[in-house]
Amino acid sequence: MTDAAHAVRTRAVADTTAPPENPALARVENLRITFDRDAGDSVSPVEDVSFEVRPGERLAVVGESGSGKSLTSLALMGLVDRVGGRIADHSQVEVLGVDMVRAPEPARRALRGGGIGMIFQDPLTSLDPVRSVGFQLGEAIELHRPALDKHETGKLAVDLLDQVRLPRPQALLASYPHELSGGMRQRVMIAIALAGDPDLLIADEPTTALDVTVQAQILDLVHDLCDERSLAVVLVTHDLGVVAGFADRVVTMYAGRIVEQGATEEVYAAPRHPYTDALMRSIPPLTHREPRLVAIPGSPPEPAHRPTGCAFHDRCGFAEEHVCTTERPPLTLVEGSSDARRVACLRLTEITFPLGAARATERAESTGPAGAADGSPLVSVRGLTKKFAIRSGGFGKREQLTAVDDVSLDIGRAEILGIVGESGSGKSTLARCLLRLIDPTSGRIEFDGRDLASMSARELRKQRPRMQMIFQDPSSSLNPRMTVRQTLLEPLKIHGRPADEQTLVGLLDSVKLPASALARYPHEFSGGQRQRIAIARAIALRPELLVCDEPVSALDVSVRSSLLNVLSDLRAEQGISLVFIAHDLAMVRFLCDRVGVMFRSRLVELNGNPEIYDAPVHPHTRALLAAQPIPDPDVERRRRTMRRDLLNEAGDPSTEGTRNVESA
Ligand code: SF4
């Protein structure tokens, strides 16, 4: 760090503590971010956003994709110009006394990584793959602590790795990012973020790419670091579940504006904006099985196509014609609430949400989605093992990686079987073996009484229409050059099935898409709609078995709910058997009749729903359940200690690998 930059940082920190009348560490006022478009016009994805971050405070900014939350966090870091955006003249963004809009770039740069620590979603893209952990951490320390000599820098690097609870920190300095698990890489990123001794940490979806157990560990770590260092955190996330146990205050954004803000306890106990309420109700509960999930209809509007009046009016169940469609609701102080609770809804004083009462009733009546399994197996798997030969070291040395180890299970007709586990536990390999997309090393897979493993390629092709797969990313499974009509017609034509208009419209109707979608291309749809198209194509041949590999993991929570309802309806209406692979146990509780838990390539527990939730036996099942966030701040506070003990008992998944390797 240069002397000038260091001076800015020192002055900035001093300034923030000086005026007692303004204790904010960061302040955003009337933020408007605009992008110029090729067509000559411009759009403003963020408008009129104002909030403060206080010292030591944990603030969560939540909303669906496209709500403007990540752009707002970029404004806090003074990086909007890097993504081609422009902040309006009347907007103010001040962090640690530095004007992040008008200050010269060196001053803003000095604050990034110094006063402001940053953690992003994917640590693999943030870390340099050809530099060791020690080099990257040392570089960050030298940049922001220029007074330290080489020895002190090395000592601090070890200390920082120790603070983020990484085992054997001294030895870890020589490791490269690809040698670490996802959780370890994110811990290294946090250590780098702490290198400048920041006062504010900005974490943009820091756990979205991680398993639920690792996510819990990382959030608990950041929570503890805040307490230990009096560090303020801005957590940007689409997942209201993770916010409950973490944040002191919540800001909900929709279509580029703040629609609700307040203390976490107050907002979670009684949300006052229909959007916040709908987001919370769309989270599947872990405690019981809902008959149906609440889904928010439609999707957030694009910045260039935001409706007039309240931007939420075309998705809001409380919208009133000629009121909500014409007037833009201002962010208003809620009377009788503490901590500057504000809501932007024109009908704020008129509407109440029957949240508590409705949930209690649903719980009492809950029997799970319709269409229980009839018990006779469609698929029977015995002793299934899959090994891969992998290269290890030089001179052609090879090892055997056992991805699936001696798995036996049955899948009933019209049954939904959930398979849960962490990344690398063998779930996806098991799914591919079930459909014989890859050949198992040993074991037997019977589909409707016939052994798939010993079938010839010709025989297997005949069976293909009876079993289909849905993948996590619909964009990569749909051809961008084919319209929806062509996408649906292709499998029907290949297998000589009727391909009339009525069939195509019926397929779209099964996944709740209108007939008008037939003429459009995949890029014209949202992520959730694209996944519906992928499901419609998968069911075109009326399969008896549908294997869904994390089909909703990449989607917003509101979109997930509607897709889970679609899958539940498919089983009820068409009697399809489903294998639903996920790492979210709350979604699995809603959808599945039985649940299998994979851990280190083995199926360690298989039981019915609710038995596996009410009386889990294996320590890893208990750890997964303890790590699943519950959208209730009181419950989450109590669970934190229990979770720590359970995750310790099961082994800390964020600091170890899960490979099951033997020498070849
Ligand atoms: Fe719904 Fe109207 Fe309130 Fe907007 S202003 S959230 S449309 S009730």
Side-chain angles (χ1 to χ4, degrees):
M1 186 165 70
T2 64
D3 288 349
H6 189 64
V8 167
R9 160 94 168 95
T10 313
R11 192 187 63 237
V13 175
D15 283 354
T16 51
T17 49
E21 68 278 5
N22 181 15
L25 200 66
R27 194 166 51 82
V28 175
E29 260 176 45
N30 304 318
L31 178 65
R32 179 182 197 168
I33 301 175
T34 304
F35 287 80
D36 294 327
R37 302 200 302 173
D38 291 345
D41 59 350
S42 61
V43 288
S44 299
V46 174
E47 282 184 87
D48 253 352
V49 168
S50 302
F51 63 90
E52 286 183 350
V53 189
R54 299 157 201 165
E57 180 183 42
R58 285 179 286 265
L59 176 77
V61 181
V62 300
E64 292 169 281
S65 309
S67 61
K69 54 192 191 310
S70 287
L71 272 176
T72 304
S73 74
L74 284 181
L76 278 172
M77 295 182 256
L79 288 172
V80 169
D81 48 355
R82 297 271 186 96
V83 293
R86 195 159 34 81
I87 294 181
D89 290 344
H90 67 273
S91 304
Q92 298 275 338
V93 182
E94 202 175 288
V95 181
L96 294 163
V98 175
D99 184 337
M100 298 305 277
V101 184
R102 291 156 203 94
E105 173 54 19
R108 286 185 278 152
R109 194 168 51 233
L111 213 53
R112 288 193 291 271
I116 308 173
M118 298 167 289
I119 320 171
F120 297 102
Q121 182 174 338
D122 186 1
L124 202 54
T125 54
S126 307
L127 292 169
D128 187 339
V130 297
R131 305 275 189 202
S132 69
V133 167
F135 181 92
Q136 297 185 59
L137 194 46
E139 196 177 44
I141 295 170
E142 280 166 21
L143 191 65
H144 299 290
R145 314 259 187 116
L148 298 185
D149 63 25
K150 213 172 172 63
H151 174 71
E152 288 169 324
T153 299
K155 217 161 143 266
L156 181 58
V158 173
D159 186 41
L160 285 168
L161 291 177
D162 190 47
Q163 281 185 44
V164 296
R165 326 261 199 274
L166 276 165
R168 300 177 297 282
Q170 183 71 50
L172 202 68
L173 290 174
S175 302
Y176 286 83
H178 72 273
E179 297 175 296
L180 310 178
S181 70
M184 291 173 89
R185 285 196 288 263
Q186 197 57 293
R187 283 172 191 261
V188 170
M189 274 308 299
I190 297 171
I192 291 174
L194 296 179
D197 193 18
D199 297 284
L200 174 67
L201 193 64
I202 297 176
D204 190 352
E205 304 274 9
T207 57
T208 304
L210 303 175
D211 288 318
V212 69
T213 44
V214 183
Q215 167 179 280
Q217 296 268 332
I218 296 291
L219 287 174
D220 285 350
L221 169 69
V222 176
H223 189 282
D224 291 349
L225 287 171
C226 289
D227 288 347
E228 288 160 16
R229 296 169 151 257
S230 299
L231 184 65
V233 177
V234 175
L235 172 70
V236 175
T237 179
H238 68 274
D239 189 346
L240 270 141
V242 305
V243 170
F246 183 86
D248 305 313
R249 215 151 50 88
V250 186
V251 167
T252 311
M253 288 186 73
Y254 183 77
R257 290 172 184 264
I258 293 177
V259 294
E260 178 155 9
Q261 64 181 48
T264 306
E265 271 82 4
E266 277 188 326
V267 174
Y268 276 73
R272 298 294 302 272
H273 193 281
Y275 178 59
T276 316
D277 178 68
L279 277 181
M280 286 196 188
R281 289 167 65 83
S282 63
I283 303 172
L286 185 66
T287 47
H288 61 283
R289 196 174 181 187
E290 296 277 9
R292 194 131 190 104
L293 293 180
V294 174
I296 310 177
S299 51
E302 294 289 327
H305 301 109
R306 284 181 183 152
T308 54
C310 173
F312 189 54
H313 79 245
D314 53 353
R315 304 177 74 193
C316 179
F318 299 94
E320 202 169 61
E321 196 72 31
H322 308 304
V323 177
C324 302
T325 51
T326 49
E327 241 182 281
R328 191 174 294 287
L331 198 59
T332 314
L333 198 65
V334 179
E335 272 182 42
S337 294
S338 60
D339 203 32
R341 178 93 184 272
R342 285 166 196 271
V343 173
C345 173
L346 296 165
R347 304 193 61 209
L348 173 63
T349 53
E350 299 164 48
I351 53 179
T352 50
F353 307 110
L355 188 66
R359 285 202 168 161
T361 316
E362 284 164 10
R363 198 168 304 156
E365 292 168 355
S366 171
T367 53
D374 71 6
S376 66
L378 174 69
V379 180
S380 183
V381 176
R382 293 292 174 269
L384 180 70
T385 296
K386 176 65 188 174
K387 295 183 178 186
F388 293 102
I390 55 167
R391 257 221 316 253
S392 84
F395 307 111
K397 198 175 159 207
R398 294 180 90 76
E399 287 176 326
Q400 289 274 327
L401 171 74
T402 305
V404 175
D405 193 359
D406 196 19
V407 168
S408 298
L409 53 83
D410 290 335
I411 303 162
R413 291 170 201 276
E415 182 186 37
I416 306 186
L417 174 70
I419 301 286
V420 298
E422 294 162 350
S423 308
S425 61
K427 312 186 292 292
S428 294
T429 307
L430 173 65
R432 283 164 173 76
C433 286
L434 282 178
L435 300 186
R436 237 195 94 185
L437 297 178
I438 52 174
D439 289 330
T441 307
S442 61
R444 201 172 162 79
I445 308 161
E446 279 187 8
F447 180 79
D448 203 12
R450 298 192 58 200
D451 185 19
L452 279 186
S454 61
M455 249 177 220
S456 68
R458 191 185 157 87
E459 281 177 304
L460 196 59
R461 239 188 336 268
K462 275 197 208 153
Q463 298 296 326
R464 282 275 174 245
R466 301 179 67 188
M467 51 182 111
Q468 293 289 312
M469 186 143 181
I470 300 169
F471 297 94
Q472 181 174 347
D473 182 7
S475 306
S476 57
S477 50
L478 295 174
N479 186 335
R481 291 193 182 83
M482 286 166 76
T483 60
V484 174
R485 181 188 301 280
Q486 291 166 324
T487 301
L488 299 183
L489 275 175
E490 191 179 51
L492 292 168
K493 281 186 175 165
I494 289 173
H495 291 279
R497 301 285 176 88
D500 51 61
E501 190 75 5
Q502 204 184 342
T503 307
L504 302 186
V505 173
L507 283 171
L508 288 182
D509 190 48
S510 307
V511 295
K512 316 285 183 276
L513 281 176
S516 59
L518 284 171
R520 293 158 67 193
Y521 287 88
H523 74 268
E524 296 176 66
F525 296 90
S526 67
Q529 288 170 326
R530 278 199 288 269
Q531 195 59 293
R532 283 168 195 254
I533 297 166
I535 296 173
R537 182 183 158 98
I539 61 170
L541 299 170
R542 297 196 74 84
E544 291 150 69
L545 175 68
L546 203 53
V547 177
C548 311
D549 189 2
E550 305 260 12
V552 296
S553 301
L555 305 173
D556 280 323
V557 68
S558 56
V559 184
R560 282 181 196 176
S561 303
S562 59
L563 270 167
L564 291 178
N565 286 336
V566 165
L567 291 174
S568 168
D569 291 347
L570 278 178
R571 183 267 290 273
E573 289 161 10
Q574 302 187 18
I576 299 178
S577 303
L578 276 110
V579 176
F580 183 75
I581 293 171
H583 60 260
D584 185 316
L585 276 108
M587 291 194 300
V588 170
R589 176 149 211 176
F590 161 73
L591 191 65
C592 302
D593 306 309
R594 284 189 305 140
V595 185
V597 180
M598 297 279 297
F599 180 55
R600 295 183 178 171
S601 314
R602 287 181 159 266
L603 186 68
V604 294
E605 187 162 358
L606 179 65
N607 207 345
N609 177 7
E611 290 80 6
I612 202 159
Y613 290 88
D614 296 342
V617 176
H618 194 275
H620 188 65
T621 312
R622 293 204 296 268
L624 285 175
L625 285 167
Q628 181 72 38
I630 290 180
D632 183 326
D634 282 342
V635 173
E636 276 299 307
R637 213 172 292 124
R638 288 198 300 272
R639 288 175 90 221
R640 193 171 298 125
T641 315
M642 177 195 77
R643 179 160 60 221
R644 222 167 261 155
D645 295 344
L646 274 168
L647 289 173
N648 285 342
E649 186 191 338
D652 184 344
S654 65
T655 57
E656 58 182 74
T658 54
R659 293 201 320 168
N660 190 356
V661 177
E662 62 192 61
S663 291

